[in-house]
Amino acid sequence: MCLLCSDIDELKKQDPRSQHQNTFATNLCSAPCNNPGCCCLAFFCPHCVAYNLRKRALHNDMTRYICCQGYLGSCCCFKPGEMGERSCPECCLCMEVCCCLGLSMSSTRFVLMDEYSIQPDICDYRLMCFSNTLQILSCICMIAGIFFPPLRSIARSVHHLARLVFMIILSCMAGQIDLELKLRSENGLRTKIVPGEDMKR
């Protein structure tokens, strides 16, 4: 996922999911209007919603679960699929949503995009890039505040703003995922793995 909002169109072209044929039932901008209940619940209780959405995305088959569904590569002691997920997937998922909330929700979204051949939305890219940019700005301000004490109040304000935007977008993402799962369940649309990808597992 990009860090800056420099060239969204080029970013979408580079994303292999842009070749997918389907689209989400709602983009992130429209999610609060199309699924307000889930968005509100995700804002105030994000960890429980993230846990529930992942289980539903896996069709309640926790034998399919690995940390972040393998979308994050191995690094040092972090090795998805080799950290006890098979023996206690529910516990591992609980730890995932508590420790890596944003990555957990994004991974669930990727599961749907790959299984149902859903392409990314340009509006979604813009919102995510905006949030990522605020996170970077918050980090820079925090570091600057260490060396320049007068900047600490500004750093705290930017941090709270970045956190608020993150939670709003996370809630919209939860609403988007929940609505997609509901509609596909009602219409009887089952898993559709993109040929050649098979979620790389």
Side-chain angles (χ1 to χ4, degrees):
M1 198 56 62
C2 72
L3 298 178
L4 299 174
C5 305
S6 56
D7 194 339
I8 302 296
D9 291 325
E10 185 61 29
L11 177 66
K12 184 176 179 180
K13 291 178 182 178
Q14 295 175 2
D15 190 339
R17 294 184 180 89
S18 63
Q19 304 301 317
H20 291 178
Q21 295 78 33
N22 303 317
T23 59
F24 277 108
T26 182
N27 59 24
L28 295 182
C29 292
S30 303
C33 295
N34 293 328
N35 196 5
C38 183
C39 289
C40 290
L41 185 61
F43 186 85
F44 294 105
C45 193
H47 303 94
C48 295
V49 172
Y51 183 96
N52 176 265
L53 290 176
R54 177 66 63 79
K55 285 195 69 174
R56 288 167 58 197
L58 298 177
H59 307 292
N60 293 313
D61 180 9
M62 293 302 286
T63 61
R64 295 179 56 193
Y65 171 78
I66 62 173
C67 186
C68 292
Q69 293 310 118
Y71 287 106
L72 298 181
S74 300
C75 180
C76 299
C77 60
F78 180 80
K79 297 180 179 180
E82 301 178 18
M83 299 187 293
E85 298 101 315
R86 303 302 181 191
S87 60
C88 191
E90 289 82 4
C91 180
C92 290
L93 177 56
C94 183
M95 294 179 62
E96 178 190 314
V97 299
C98 289
C99 300
C100 312
L101 179 60
L103 294 175
S104 179
M105 191 71 77
S106 293
S107 297
T108 302
R109 186 169 179 268
F110 289 151
V111 168
L112 294 188
M113 294 177 75
D114 286 341
E115 291 197 350
Y116 297 119
S117 190
I118 298 174
Q119 61 181 253
D121 183 86
I122 200 73
C123 171
D124 296 359
Y125 269 129
R126 292 194 177 101
L127 288 176
M128 292 176 193
C129 287
F130 177 61
S131 178
N132 289 341
T133 301
L134 281 179
Q135 296 292 334
I136 293 174
L137 180 61
S138 175
C139 183
I140 293 174
C141 290
M142 286 292 187
I143 295 174
I146 296 175
F147 302 99
F148 303 100
L151 293 178
R152 291 176 183 173
S153 60
I154 298 176
R156 284 194 294 269
S157 298
V158 174
H159 171 74
H160 292 317
L161 175 61
R163 182 64 181 172
L164 177 61
V165 171
F166 169 80
M167 288 305 302
I168 291 174
I169 294 178
L170 184 86
S171 302
C172 293
M173 191 178 297
Q176 181 186 59
I177 294 170
D178 177 68
L179 184 61
E180 192 71 28
L181 288 170
K182 284 179 179 176
L183 292 177
R184 291 186 176 276
S185 176
E186 291 172 0
N187 294 329
L189 298 177
R190 300 296 296 172
T191 302
K192 177 182 178 182
I193 304 294
V194 178
E197 289 189 6
D198 197 25
M199 297 184 67
K200 299 181 181 179
R201 293 191 295 282

